[in-house]
Amino acid sequence: MKVFYNPVQKTHILTHEIIAGKRYRHHEKKARLENILKHLRAAKRFDVCIPDALPIEAVLAVHDEGYIRFLESSQMLSKEEVIWPYTFPNDRRLSIREPVTVFTAGYYCFDVGTPIMSDTYIAAMASASGAYAAARHVLETGEACYALARPPGHHAASALFGGYCYINNAAIAAKYLSQKGRVLIIDFDFHHGNGTQSIFYNSNEVFYYSIHGDPSIEYPYFSGFAEEKGIGEGLGFNLNIPIEPMVGAAEYLGEFKEGLNQILKRFDPKYIVCSCGFDVAEGDPLGHFALTPEHFYELGTTIKSLGKPVTLIQEGGYLVDRLGVNVHAFLSAFL
Ligand SMILES: [Zn+2]
């Protein structure tokens, strides 16, 4: 299987984060990539390639130009500077001024765990390049393809970063594929992909399906509820299945399959884009489900059995030592 990854993605180094007032070593670290790569290389069944740079039009198809220009401007920071947004506009009806410097980054941000540094933009663009290259490969060959994306993307909206995400990798892949036919995004990350949902909320070309920890008690808290079904033309093209944390893996997989069956009765996708969040793994520090490699293999088999070309995009997963084993088990289903 082709895997797209660029070493530039490792240059984005996050030191710490504050969650509910407590300081932690940042969970989104480059060791995540290294562990996955180690396992995929050892398996010798994966062809790891550096993706070409992606056309800016593919990024602007899902993100606001002002937002991308803002992210790009972070390259002006010194190596030591880190921008932590801490003030946010709370009434978007006001004529809030767009930020002129990264110091008013809260304009484009929704949480406090996602800092910006001088390498953030190039790392995020490299990550998105992998997603775009994977989608292109799927389009050209019909074979499943995996983008080892990092930073992740599914929390990034068209003009908002947060949740460790800056550019929405899965949305770029889905938007590109949607030029050729309807796309189903399957997001199994432990956290609701609020960014992806918002980007396609009024679309009937891209169906967003997410199964995740119940947002009434889990990040990102303000979206991911079952009643969010889309708006306008997109009404009926968004399905959220919030699950109580600590649910057993068998029950989780049952809910996952039930959700898919519901969708496929009324939506026939030509392509599938999968936001693969391995923070649903047993023992993950940021998730509370309990999937093991066997369950990831079953999850992969279920998606493969739909018989559609699949673009697989890495999202979360923070149990670094087990990440590669879990990713390998999942990808094995597509070989
Ligand atoms: Zn997550």
Side-chain angles (χ1 to χ4, degrees):
M1 180 190 289
K2 265 268 201 272
V3 172
F4 286 102
Y5 160 73
N6 188 329
V8 165
Q9 294 167 233
K10 290 205 280 190
T11 57
H12 172 66
I13 311 262
L14 304 146
T15 55
H16 69 281
E17 64 185 314
I18 308 289
I19 303 177
K22 278 194 193 158
R23 185 184 165 110
Y24 297 84
R25 278 192 68 188
H26 208 289
H27 290 89
E28 208 289 274
K29 48 188 125 179
K30 67 180 175 133
R32 300 173 58 241
L33 293 181
E34 290 162 349
N35 190 270
I36 295 171
L37 274 178
K38 184 176 89 177
H39 283 272
L40 297 189
R41 289 199 164 121
K44 298 192 187 307
R45 294 191 290 177
F46 299 90
D47 175 19
V48 182
C49 307
I50 295 180
D52 293 336
L54 84 169
I56 193 69
E57 297 74 36
V59 180
L60 297 180
V62 301
H63 288 290
D64 280 10
E65 193 172 356
Y67 171 68
I68 294 299
R69 264 193 278 113
F70 159 77
L71 286 181
E72 193 177 12
S73 72
S74 63
Q75 294 176 100
M76 307 292 281
L77 296 168
S78 71
K79 284 281 174 204
E80 295 72 38
E81 276 177 295
V82 182
I83 302 302
W84 292 96
Y86 66 97
T87 306
F88 307 91
N90 62 6
D91 188 345
R92 299 251 167 198
R93 292 167 302 180
L94 303 176
S95 53
I96 301 156
R97 293 180 190 178
E98 287 192 31
V100 284
T101 72
V102 286
F103 295 98
T104 44
Y107 180 83
Y108 285 127
C109 183
F110 68 87
D111 75 6
V112 296
T114 315
I116 289 194
M117 293 148 295
S118 60
D119 292 322
T120 300
Y121 178 71
I122 55 159
M125 285 294 276
S127 184
S129 302
Y132 180 75
R136 276 187 57 181
H137 183 78
V138 168
L139 200 61
E140 286 162 13
T141 66
E143 294 166 7
C145 185
Y146 169 64
L148 176 41
R150 185 261 172 186
H154 76 151
H155 294 302
S158 62
L160 282 174
F161 64 96
Y164 316 159
C165 303
Y166 307 88
I167 294 179
N168 196 314
N169 307 312
I172 287 173
K175 190 75 182 177
Y176 171 69
L177 290 166
S178 72
Q179 297 168 23
K180 307 287 180 187
R182 288 178 141 191
V183 179
L184 169 61
I185 299 177
I186 300 173
D187 186 337
F188 67 81
D189 189 280
F190 180 78
H191 307 98
H192 179 242
N194 50 335
T196 313
Q197 171 172 293
S198 74
I199 289 167
F200 297 112
Y201 208 49
N202 59 2
S203 168
N204 57 13
E205 295 298 316
V206 178
F207 194 117
Y208 179 67
Y209 169 41
S210 180
I211 178 164
H212 47 261
D214 183 349
S216 51
I217 45 172
E218 298 288 351
Y219 187 92
Y221 305 110
F222 302 110
S223 71
F225 297 96
E227 63 267 27
E228 293 158 20
K229 295 180 174 169
I231 48 167
E233 288 187 346
L235 186 60
F237 293 84
N238 194 86
L239 177 64
N240 287 323
I241 302 193
I243 304 262
E244 208 177 301
M246 313 307 286
V247 73
E251 198 181 326
Y252 170 88
L253 286 168
E255 294 271 5
F256 176 78
K257 290 172 191 174
E258 174 55 32
L260 264 186
N261 289 339
Q262 266 185 53
I263 293 165
L264 295 171
K265 278 181 199 155
R266 55 203 166 88
F267 185 79
D268 183 25
K270 190 165 180 191
Y271 302 102
I272 290 172
V273 170
C274 190
S275 271
C276 311
F278 292 86
D279 41 10
V280 289
E282 186 174 42
D284 190 281
L286 295 183
H288 304 104
F289 294 159
L291 274 68
T292 64
E294 294 71 36
H295 301 123
F296 283 114
Y297 183 76
E298 188 178 337
L299 198 58
T301 310
T302 305
I303 295 167
K304 190 186 180 205
S305 71
L306 304 177
K308 311 283 181 179
V310 186
T311 307
L312 304 160
I313 297 177
Q314 180 65 39
E315 299 286 357
Y318 305 98
L319 185 64
V320 174
D321 294 345
R322 299 289 298 158
L323 195 46
V325 171
N326 290 331
V327 170
H328 178 253
F330 175 74
L331 295 183
S332 296
F334 297 90
L335 294 173

